[in-house]
Coordinates of all heavy atoms in Angstrom, one line a residue:
M1 N 12.9 65.3 47.4 CA 11.8 64.8 48.2 C 11.1 66.0 48.9 O 11.7 66.9 49.3 CB 12.5 64.0 49.3 CG 11.5 62.9 50.0 SD 12.4 61.8 51.1 CE 12.3 62.7 52.7
R2 N 9.8 65.8 49.0 CA 8.9 66.9 49.5 C 9.0 66.9 51.0 O 9.0 65.9 51.6 CB 7.5 66.6 49.0 CG 6.6 67.9 49.0 CD 5.4 67.7 48.1 NE 4.5 68.7 48.4 CZ 3.5 68.6 49.3 NH1 3.4 67.5 50.0 NH2 2.7 69.6 49.5
E3 N 9.1 68.2 51.5 CA 9.1 68.2 53.0 C 7.7 67.9 53.5 O 6.7 68.3 52.9 CB 9.3 69.7 53.4 CG 10.6 70.3 52.9 CD 11.7 70.2 54.0 OE1 11.3 70.7 55.1 OE2 12.8 69.8 53.8
P4 N 7.6 67.2 54.6 CA 6.3 67.0 55.2 C 5.6 68.3 55.6 O 6.3 69.2 56.0 CB 6.6 66.1 56.4 CG 8.0 65.8 56.4 CD 8.7 66.7 55.4
E5 N 4.4 68.4 55.5 CA 3.7 69.6 55.9 C 3.6 69.6 57.4 O 3.3 68.5 58.1 CB 2.3 69.6 55.3 CG 2.4 69.9 53.8 CD 1.0 70.0 53.2 OE1 0.0 70.2 53.9 OE2 1.0 69.7 52.0
Y6 N 3.7 70.8 58.0 CA 3.6 70.8 59.4 C 3.0 72.2 59.8 O 3.3 73.2 59.3 CB 5.0 70.7 60.1 CG 4.9 70.7 61.7 CD1 4.3 69.7 62.3 CD2 5.3 71.7 62.3 CE1 4.2 69.6 63.7 CE2 5.2 71.8 63.7 CZ 4.6 70.7 64.4 OH 4.5 70.7 65.7
T7 N 2.1 72.1 60.8 CA 1.5 73.4 61.3 C 1.6 73.4 62.8 O 1.6 72.3 63.4 CB 0.0 73.6 60.9 OG1 -0.7 72.4 61.3 CG2 -0.1 73.7 59.4
C8 N 1.6 74.5 63.4 CA 1.6 74.6 64.8 C 0.4 73.9 65.4 O -0.8 74.2 64.9 CB 1.6 76.1 65.2 SG 1.4 76.3 67.0
P9 N 0.6 73.0 66.4 CA -0.5 72.2 66.9 C -1.5 73.1 67.7 O -2.6 72.7 68.0 CB 0.1 71.1 67.7 CG 1.4 71.7 68.1 CD 1.8 72.5 67.0
I10 N -1.2 74.3 68.0 CA -2.1 75.2 68.8 C -2.7 76.2 67.9 O -4.0 76.3 67.9 CB -1.3 75.9 69.9 CG1 -0.9 74.8 70.9 CG2 -2.2 76.9 70.6 CD1 0.0 75.2 72.0
C11 N -2.0 76.9 67.0 CA -2.7 78.0 66.3 C -2.7 77.7 64.7 O -3.2 78.5 64.0 CB -2.0 79.3 66.5 SG -0.3 79.4 65.8
S12 N -2.1 76.6 64.3 CA -2.2 76.2 62.9 C -1.3 77.0 62.0 O -1.5 76.9 60.7 CB -3.6 76.1 62.4 OG -4.3 75.1 63.1
T13 N -0.4 77.8 62.5 CA 0.5 78.5 61.6 C 1.4 77.5 60.9 O 1.8 76.6 61.5 CB 1.4 79.5 62.5 OG1 0.6 80.4 63.1 CG2 2.6 80.1 61.7
E14 N 1.7 77.8 59.6 CA 2.6 76.9 58.9 C 4.0 77.0 59.4 O 4.5 78.1 59.6 CB 2.6 77.2 57.4 CG 1.3 76.7 56.8 CD 1.3 76.8 55.3 OE1 2.4 76.7 54.7 OE2 0.2 77.0 54.7
L15 N 4.6 75.9 59.6 CA 6.0 75.8 60.1 C 6.8 74.8 59.4 O 6.4 74.0 58.7 CB 6.0 75.4 61.6 CG 5.2 76.3 62.6 CD1 5.1 75.6 64.0 CD2 6.0 77.6 62.8
T16 N 8.1 74.9 59.6 CA 9.1 74.0 59.0 C 9.0 72.7 59.9 O 9.0 72.8 61.1 CB 10.5 74.5 59.1 OG1 10.5 75.7 58.4 CG2 11.5 73.5 58.3
Y17 N 8.9 71.5 59.3 CA 8.9 70.3 60.0 C 10.3 69.8 60.5 O 11.2 69.9 59.6 CB 8.3 69.2 59.2 CG 8.3 67.8 59.9 CD1 7.2 67.5 60.8 CD2 9.2 66.9 59.5 CE1 7.3 66.3 61.4 CE2 9.2 65.6 60.2 CZ 8.2 65.4 61.1 OH 8.2 64.1 61.8
F18 N 10.4 69.5 61.8 CA 11.6 68.9 62.2 C 11.3 67.6 62.8 O 10.6 67.5 63.8 CB 12.3 69.8 63.3 CG 12.7 71.1 62.8 CD1 12.0 72.3 63.1 CD2 13.8 71.3 62.0 CE1 12.4 73.6 62.7 CE2 14.2 72.5 61.6 CZ 13.5 73.6 61.9
S19 N 12.0 66.5 62.3 CA 11.7 65.2 62.8 C 12.0 65.0 64.3 O 11.4 64.3 65.0 CB 12.4 64.1 62.0 OG 13.7 64.3 62.0
R20 N 13.0 65.8 64.8 CA 13.4 65.8 66.1 C 12.3 66.3 67.1 O 12.3 66.0 68.2 CB 14.7 66.6 66.3 CG 15.3 66.6 67.7 CD 16.7 67.2 67.7 NE 17.6 66.4 67.0 CZ 18.3 65.5 67.6 NH1 18.1 65.2 68.9 NH2 19.2 64.7 67.0
Y21 N 11.6 67.3 66.6 CA 10.5 68.0 67.3 C 9.2 67.8 66.7 O 8.7 68.8 66.1 CB 10.9 69.5 67.5 CG 12.3 69.7 68.1 CD1 13.3 70.3 67.4 CD2 12.6 69.2 69.4 CE1 14.5 70.5 67.9 CE2 13.8 69.3 69.9 CZ 14.8 70.0 69.2 OH 16.1 70.2 69.8
P22 N 8.6 66.6 66.7 CA 7.4 66.4 65.9 C 6.1 67.1 66.4 O 5.2 67.1 65.7 CB 7.2 64.9 66.0 CG 7.9 64.5 67.3 CD 9.1 65.5 67.4
N23 N 6.2 67.8 67.6 CA 5.0 68.4 68.1 C 5.3 69.8 68.6 O 4.7 70.3 69.5 CB 4.4 67.6 69.3 CG 3.9 66.3 68.8 OD1 3.0 66.2 68.0 ND2 4.5 65.2 69.4
Y24 N 6.3 70.5 68.0 CA 6.7 71.8 68.6 C 5.7 72.9 68.2 O 5.0 72.7 67.2 CB 8.1 72.2 68.2 CG 8.3 72.7 66.8 CD1 8.5 74.1 66.7 CD2 8.3 71.9 65.7 CE1 8.7 74.7 65.4 CE2 8.5 72.5 64.4 CZ 8.7 73.9 64.2 OH 8.9 74.4 63.1
V25 N 5.6 73.9 69.0 CA 4.7 75.0 68.8 C 5.4 76.2 68.3 O 6.6 76.3 68.6 CB 3.8 75.3 70.1 CG1 3.2 74.1 70.6 CG2 4.7 75.9 71.2
C26 N 4.8 77.1 67.7 CA 5.4 78.3 67.0 C 5.8 79.3 68.1 O 5.4 79.3 69.3 CB 4.5 78.9 66.0 SG 3.2 79.8 66.7
D27 N 6.6 80.2 67.7 CA 7.2 81.2 68.7 C 6.1 82.1 69.3 O 6.2 82.5 70.4 CB 8.2 82.2 67.9 CG 9.5 81.5 67.6 OD1 9.7 80.4 68.1 OD2 10.2 82.0 66.8
S28 N 5.1 82.5 68.5 CA 4.0 83.3 69.1 C 3.2 82.5 70.1 O 2.7 83.2 71.0 CB 3.2 83.9 68.0 OG 2.5 82.9 67.2
C29 N 3.0 81.2 69.9 CA 2.4 80.4 71.0 C 3.4 80.3 72.2 O 2.9 80.4 73.3 CB 2.0 79.1 70.5 SG 0.6 79.1 69.4
V30 N 4.6 80.1 72.0 CA 5.6 80.0 73.1 C 5.5 81.3 74.0 O 5.5 81.2 75.2 CB 7.0 79.8 72.6 CG1 8.0 79.9 73.8 CG2 7.2 78.5 72.0
A31 N 5.3 82.4 73.3 CA 5.2 83.7 74.0 C 3.9 83.8 74.9 O 3.9 84.6 75.8 CB 5.2 84.9 73.0
K32 N 3.0 82.9 74.7 CA 1.8 82.9 75.5 C 1.8 81.8 76.6 O 0.8 81.6 77.2 CB 0.6 82.6 74.6 CG 0.2 83.8 73.6 CD -1.0 83.5 72.9 CE -0.7 82.8 71.5 NZ -1.9 82.6 70.7
A33 N 2.9 81.2 76.8 CA 3.1 80.1 77.8 C 2.8 80.6 79.2 O 3.3 81.7 79.6 CB 4.4 79.5 77.7
T34 N 2.0 79.8 80.0 CA 1.8 80.1 81.4 C 2.0 78.9 82.2 O 2.2 77.8 81.7 CB 0.4 80.6 81.6 OG1 -0.5 79.5 81.4 CG2 0.0 81.8 80.7
D35 N 2.0 79.1 83.5 CA 1.9 77.9 84.4 C 0.4 77.5 84.6 O -0.4 78.0 84.0 CB 2.6 78.2 85.7 CG 1.7 79.0 86.7 OD1 0.7 79.6 86.2 OD2 2.1 79.2 87.9
E36 N 0.2 76.5 85.5 CA -1.2 75.9 85.6 C -2.1 76.9 86.2 O -3.3 76.8 86.1 CB -1.1 74.6 86.5 CG -0.5 74.8 87.8 CD 1.0 74.7 87.7 OE1 1.6 74.2 86.7 OE2 1.7 75.3 88.6
S37 N -1.6 78.0 86.8 CA -2.6 79.0 87.3 C -2.5 80.3 86.5 O -2.8 81.5 87.0 CB -2.3 79.3 88.8 OG -1.0 79.5 89.0
S38 N -2.2 80.2 85.2 CA -2.2 81.3 84.2 C -1.2 82.4 84.5 O -1.4 83.5 84.0 CB -3.5 81.9 84.1 OG -4.5 80.9 83.7
R39 N -0.1 82.2 85.3 CA 1.0 83.2 85.3 C 1.9 83.0 84.1 O 2.3 81.9 83.8 CB 1.7 82.9 86.6 CG 1.1 83.5 87.8 CD 1.9 83.2 89.0 NE 3.0 84.1 89.2 CZ 4.0 83.9 90.1 NH1 4.0 82.9 90.9 NH2 5.0 84.8 90.2
A40 N 2.2 84.1 83.5 CA 3.0 84.1 82.3 C 4.5 83.6 82.6 O 5.0 83.9 83.6 CB 3.1 85.5 81.7
L41 N 4.9 82.7 81.7 CA 6.3 82.2 81.9 C 7.2 82.7 80.7 O 6.7 83.0 79.6 CB 6.3 80.6 81.8 CG 5.6 80.0 83.0 CD1 5.4 78.5 82.7 CD2 6.3 80.2 84.3
K42 N 8.5 82.8 81.0 CA 9.5 83.0 80.0 C 10.6 82.0 80.1 O 10.8 81.5 81.2 CB 10.1 84.4 80.1 CG 9.1 85.5 79.9 CD 9.8 86.8 79.9 CE 10.4 87.3 81.1 NZ 10.9 88.7 81.2
F43 N 11.2 81.6 79.0 CA 12.2 80.5 79.0 C 13.5 81.0 78.4 O 13.5 81.9 77.5 CB 11.7 79.4 78.1 CG 10.3 78.9 78.5 CD1 9.3 79.1 77.6 CD2 10.1 78.3 79.7 CE1 8.0 78.6 77.9 CE2 8.8 77.8 80.0 CZ 7.7 78.0 79.1
F44 N 14.6 80.6 79.0 CA 15.9 81.0 78.7 C 16.8 79.8 78.6 O 16.7 78.9 79.3 CB 16.5 82.0 79.7 CG 15.7 83.2 79.9 CD1 14.8 83.3 81.0 CD2 15.8 84.3 79.1 CE1 14.1 84.5 81.2 CE2 15.0 85.5 79.3 CZ 14.2 85.5 80.4
N45 N 17.9 80.0 77.8 CA 19.1 79.2 78.0 C 19.8 79.7 79.2 O 19.8 80.9 79.4 CB 20.0 79.1 76.8 CG 19.3 78.5 75.6 OD1 19.2 79.1 74.5 ND2 18.8 77.2 75.8
T46 N 20.5 78.8 80.0 CA 21.3 79.3 81.2 C 22.6 79.7 80.8 O 23.3 80.3 81.6 CB 21.3 78.1 82.2 OG1 21.7 76.9 81.6 CG2 19.9 78.0 82.8
G47 N 23.1 79.4 79.6 CA 24.4 79.9 79.2 C 24.6 79.8 77.7 O 23.7 79.5 77.0
M48 N 25.8 80.1 77.3 CA 26.2 80.2 75.9 C 25.9 78.8 75.2 O 25.7 78.8 74.0 CB 27.7 80.5 75.7 CG 28.0 81.8 76.1 SD 28.3 82.9 74.7 CE 29.6 82.0 73.8
H49 N 26.1 77.7 76.0 CA 26.0 76.4 75.3 C 24.7 75.7 75.7 O 24.7 74.5 75.7 CB 27.2 75.6 75.8 CG 28.5 76.3 75.4 ND1 28.9 76.3 74.1 CD2 29.4 76.9 76.1 CE1 30.1 77.1 74.0 NE2 30.4 77.4 75.3
G50 N 23.7 76.4 76.0 CA 22.4 75.8 76.2 C 22.0 75.9 77.7 O 22.3 76.8 78.4
G51 N 21.4 74.8 78.1 CA 20.8 74.8 79.4 C 19.4 75.3 79.3 O 19.0 75.9 78.4
F52 N 18.6 75.1 80.4 CA 17.2 75.5 80.4 C 16.8 76.2 81.7 O 17.1 75.6 82.8 CB 16.2 74.3 80.0 CG 14.8 74.7 80.1 CD1 14.1 75.2 79.1 CD2 14.1 74.4 81.3 CE1 12.8 75.5 79.2 CE2 12.8 74.8 81.4 CZ 12.1 75.3 80.4
K53 N 16.0 77.2 81.6 CA 15.6 77.8 82.8 C 14.2 78.5 82.4 O 14.0 79.1 81.3 CB 16.5 79.0 83.2 CG 16.1 79.6 84.5 CD 17.1 80.7 84.9 CE 16.7 81.3 86.2 NZ 17.7 82.3 86.6
A54 N 13.2 78.3 83.3 CA 11.9 78.9 83.2 C 11.8 80.0 84.3 O 12.1 79.6 85.5 CB 10.8 77.9 83.2
V55 N 11.2 81.1 84.0 CA 11.0 82.1 85.1 C 9.6 82.6 84.9 O 9.1 82.6 83.8 CB 12.0 83.3 85.0 CG1 13.4 82.8 85.3 CG2 11.9 84.1 83.8
Y56 N 9.0 83.2 86.0 CA 7.8 83.9 85.9 C 8.0 85.3 85.3 O 8.9 86.0 85.7 CB 7.1 84.0 87.2 CG 6.6 82.7 87.7 CD1 7.3 82.0 88.7 CD2 5.4 82.1 87.3 CE1 6.9 80.7 89.2 CE2 5.0 80.9 87.7 CZ 5.7 80.2 88.6 OH 5.3 79.0 89.1
A57 N 7.2 85.7 84.3 CA 7.4 86.9 83.6 C 7.2 88.1 84.6 O 7.8 89.2 84.4 CB 6.4 87.0 82.4
D58 N 6.3 88.0 85.6 CA 6.0 89.1 86.4 C 7.1 89.4 87.5 O 7.3 90.5 87.8 CB 4.6 88.9 87.1 CG 4.4 87.6 87.7 OD1 5.3 86.7 87.7 OD2 3.3 87.3 88.3
T59 N 7.6 88.3 88.1 CA 8.6 88.5 89.2 C 10.0 88.1 88.8 O 11.0 88.4 89.6 CB 8.2 87.6 90.4 OG1 8.2 86.2 89.9 CG2 6.8 88.0 90.9
N60 N 10.2 87.5 87.6 CA 11.5 86.8 87.3 C 11.9 85.8 88.2 O 13.1 85.4 88.2 CB 12.6 87.9 87.1 CG 12.5 88.6 85.7 OD1 12.1 88.0 84.8 ND2 12.8 89.9 85.8
G61 N 11.0 85.3 89.0 CA 11.3 84.2 90.0 C 11.4 82.9 89.2 O 10.7 82.7 88.3
E62 N 12.3 82.0 89.6 CA 12.5 80.8 88.9 C 11.3 79.9 89.1 O 10.8 79.8 90.1 CB 13.8 80.1 89.4 CG 14.1 78.9 88.4 CD 15.6 78.5 88.5 OE1 16.4 79.1 89.3 OE2 15.9 77.5 87.9
R63 N 11.0 79.2 88.0 CA 9.9 78.2 88.0 C 10.5 76.9 87.8 O 11.3 76.7 86.8 CB 8.9 78.5 86.8 CG 8.4 77.4 86.1 CD 7.0 77.0 86.5 NE 6.4 76.0 85.6 CZ 5.2 75.5 86.0 NH1 4.6 75.8 87.1 NH2 4.7 74.6 85.1
E64 N 10.2 76.0 88.7 CA 10.8 74.6 88.6 C 10.1 73.8 87.5 O 8.9 73.9 87.3 CB 10.6 73.8 90.0 CG 11.3 74.4 91.1 CD 12.9 74.1 91.1 OE1 13.1 73.0 90.6 OE2 13.6 74.9 91.5
G65 N 10.9 73.0 86.8 CA 10.2 72.1 85.8 C 10.1 72.6 84.5 O 10.4 73.8 84.2
H66 N 9.6 71.8 83.6 CA 9.5 72.1 82.2 C 8.1 72.2 81.6 O 7.9 72.5 80.5 CB 10.2 71.0 81.3 CG 11.7 71.0 81.6 ND1 12.6 71.4 80.6 CD2 12.4 70.6 82.6 CE1 13.8 71.2 81.1 NE2 13.8 70.8 82.3
I67 N 7.1 71.9 82.5 CA 5.7 71.8 82.0 C 5.2 73.3 81.9 O 5.4 74.1 82.8 CB 4.9 71.0 83.0 CG1 5.3 69.6 83.0 CG2 3.3 71.1 82.6 CD1 5.2 68.8 81.6
C68 N 4.4 73.6 80.9 CA 3.7 74.9 80.7 C 2.5 74.6 80.1 O 2.2 73.5 79.6 CB 4.6 75.9 80.0 SG 5.0 75.5 78.3
F69 N 1.6 75.7 80.0 CA 0.3 75.6 79.4 C 0.2 76.7 78.4 O 0.5 77.9 78.7 CB -0.8 75.7 80.4 CG -0.8 74.5 81.3 CD1 0.0 74.4 82.4 CD2 -1.6 73.4 81.0 CE1 0.0 73.3 83.3 CE2 -1.6 72.3 81.9 CZ -0.7 72.2 83.0
I70 N -0.3 76.4 77.2 CA -0.5 77.4 76.1 C -2.0 77.2 75.7 O -2.3 76.2 75.1 CB 0.5 77.3 75.0 CG1 1.9 77.4 75.5 CG2 0.1 78.3 73.9 CD1 2.9 77.0 74.4
E71 N -2.8 78.2 76.0 CA -4.2 78.1 75.6 C -4.9 76.8 76.1 O -5.6 76.2 75.3 CB -4.4 78.5 74.1 CG -3.9 79.8 73.7 CD -4.2 80.3 72.4 OE1 -4.7 79.5 71.6 OE2 -4.1 81.5 72.2
G72 N -4.5 76.4 77.3 CA -5.2 75.2 77.8 C -4.5 73.9 77.4 O -4.8 72.9 77.9
N73 N -3.5 74.0 76.5 CA -2.7 72.8 76.1 C -1.5 72.6 77.0 O -0.7 73.5 77.1 CB -2.3 72.9 74.6 CG -3.5 73.1 73.7 OD1 -4.2 72.1 73.5 ND2 -3.7 74.3 73.3
K74 N -1.4 71.4 77.6 CA -0.2 71.1 78.3 C 1.0 71.0 77.4 O 0.9 70.2 76.4 CB -0.4 69.8 79.1 CG 0.6 69.6 80.2 CD 0.1 68.4 81.0 CE 1.1 68.2 82.2 NZ 0.7 67.0 83.0
C75 N 2.1 71.6 77.7 CA 3.3 71.6 76.8 C 4.6 71.4 77.7 O 4.5 71.5 78.9 CB 3.4 72.9 76.1 SG 2.1 73.2 75.0
Y76 N 5.6 71.0 77.0 CA 6.9 70.7 77.6 C 7.9 71.6 77.0 O 8.2 71.5 75.8 CB 7.2 69.3 77.5 CG 8.4 68.8 78.3 CD1 8.3 68.3 79.5 CD2 9.7 68.9 77.7 CE1 9.4 67.9 80.2 CE2 10.8 68.5 78.4 CZ 10.7 68.0 79.7 OH 11.8 67.6 80.4
A77 N 8.5 72.5 77.7 CA 9.6 73.4 77.2 C 11.0 72.8 77.6 O 11.2 72.2 78.6 CB 9.4 74.7 77.9
D78 N 11.9 72.9 76.6 CA 13.3 72.5 76.9 C 14.2 73.3 76.0 O 13.8 74.0 75.1 CB 13.4 71.0 76.6 CG 14.5 70.3 77.4 OD1 15.3 71.0 78.1 OD2 14.6 69.1 77.3
E79 N 15.5 73.0 76.3 CA 16.5 73.7 75.4 C 16.5 73.0 74.1 O 16.3 71.8 74.0 CB 17.9 73.6 76.0 CG 18.4 72.2 76.3 CD 19.8 72.2 76.9 OE1 20.7 72.6 76.2 OE2 19.9 71.7 78.0
A80 N 16.6 73.7 73.0 CA 16.8 73.1 71.7 C 18.2 72.6 71.5 O 19.1 73.2 72.0 CB 16.4 74.2 70.6
R81 N 18.4 71.7 70.6 CA 19.7 71.0 70.4 C 20.6 72.1 69.9 O 21.8 72.1 70.2 CB 19.5 69.9 69.4 CG 20.7 69.1 69.1 CD 20.4 67.8 68.6 NE 21.6 67.1 68.2 CZ 22.1 67.1 67.0 NH1 21.4 67.7 66.0 NH2 23.2 66.4 66.6
M82 N 20.2 73.0 69.0 CA 21.1 74.0 68.5 C 21.1 75.3 69.2 O 21.5 76.3 68.6 CB 20.7 74.2 67.0 CG 20.9 72.9 66.1 SD 22.5 72.2 66.3 CE 22.7 71.6 64.6
G83 N 20.6 75.3 70.4 CA 20.5 76.5 71.1 C 19.1 77.1 71.0 O 18.4 76.7 70.1
G84 N 18.8 77.9 71.9 CA 17.3 78.4 72.0 C 16.5 77.4 72.7 O 16.9 76.5 73.4
I85 N 15.2 77.7 72.7 CA 14.2 77.0 73.4 C 13.2 76.4 72.4 O 12.8 77.0 71.5 CB 13.5 78.0 74.4 CG1 14.4 78.5 75.4 CG2 12.3 77.3 75.1 CD1 15.1 77.5 76.4
V86 N 12.8 75.2 72.7 CA 11.7 74.6 72.0 C 10.7 74.1 72.9 O 10.9 73.6 74.0 CB 12.3 73.4 71.1 CG1 12.8 72.3 71.9 CG2 11.2 72.9 70.1
V87 N 9.4 74.4 72.5 CA 8.3 73.9 73.3 C 7.4 73.0 72.5 O 7.1 73.3 71.4 CB 7.4 75.1 73.8 CG1 6.2 74.7 74.6 CG2 8.3 76.2 74.6
E88 N 7.1 71.9 73.1 CA 6.3 70.8 72.4 C 5.1 70.5 73.1 O 5.0 70.6 74.4 CB 7.1 69.5 72.1 CG 8.2 69.7 71.2 CD 8.8 68.3 70.8 OE1 9.6 67.8 71.5 OE2 8.3 67.7 69.8
L89 N 4.0 70.2 72.4 CA 2.8 69.7 73.0 C 3.2 68.4 73.9 O 4.0 67.6 73.4 CB 1.8 69.2 72.0 CG 0.4 69.6 72.1 CD1 0.1 71.1 72.5 CD2 -0.4 69.2 70.8
Y90 N 2.7 68.4 75.1 CA 3.0 67.3 76.0 C 2.0 66.1 75.8 O 0.8 66.3 76.1 CB 3.0 67.8 77.4 CG 3.5 66.9 78.4 CD1 4.8 66.7 78.7 CD2 2.6 66.0 79.2 CE1 5.3 65.9 79.7 CE2 3.1 65.1 80.1 CZ 4.5 65.1 80.4 OH 4.9 64.2 81.3
A91 N 2.5 65.0 75.3 CA 1.6 63.9 75.0 C 1.5 63.0 76.2 O 2.5 62.7 76.8 CB 2.1 63.2 73.8
Ligands
ZN1 ZN1 1.3 78.6 67.3

């Protein structure tokens, strides 16, 4: 069976399709994530077994919530099921 085609919804880079994450964005777009006032954000797992934490890149201060913006697109960041971080377009 042929894999569905999938591209990053923001920059159109070709990506592997995951049915669990139908709107996820690529790593280079995740690296451009900001809050609503364009402050850069970084995302981490809080421990070995997942968890989610967002911090401001400039101060390392914790940012509440999962919403971020990438090139004007509202997105939702969360821990990925297998570890790491996944960011999806917020519908
Ligand atoms: Zn992208």
Side-chain angles (χ1 to χ4, degrees):
M1 204 171 90
R2 198 159 168 272
E3 300 260 312
E5 289 179 23
Y6 183 71
T7 58
C8 174
I10 293 172
C11 72
S12 300
T13 296
E14 286 189 28
L15 296 171
T16 306
Y17 177 78
F18 295 108
S19 57
R20 179 172 293 274
Y21 305 118
N23 294 300
Y24 81 104
V25 307
C26 74
D27 288 346
S28 58
C29 286
V30 172
K32 291 186 270 187
T34 68
D35 76 350
E36 53 284 336
S37 47
S38 300
R39 280 178 77 190
L41 295 173
K42 293 190 292 189
F43 308 112
F44 300 99
N45 291 126
T46 49
M48 291 254 307
H49 302 289
F52 174 84
K53 184 180 183 181
V55 301
Y56 289 104
D58 50 0
T59 61
N60 282 322
E62 188 161 357
R63 141 101 171 170
E64 294 284 327
H66 292 251
I67 298 297
C68 63
F69 293 84
I70 301 172
E71 299 193 345
N73 299 284
K74 191 174 186 181
C75 296
Y76 187 93
D78 205 356
E79 61 179 297
R81 185 160 171 264
M82 297 308 217
I85 296 295
V86 64
V87 180
E88 290 193 274
L89 221 51
Y90 187 84

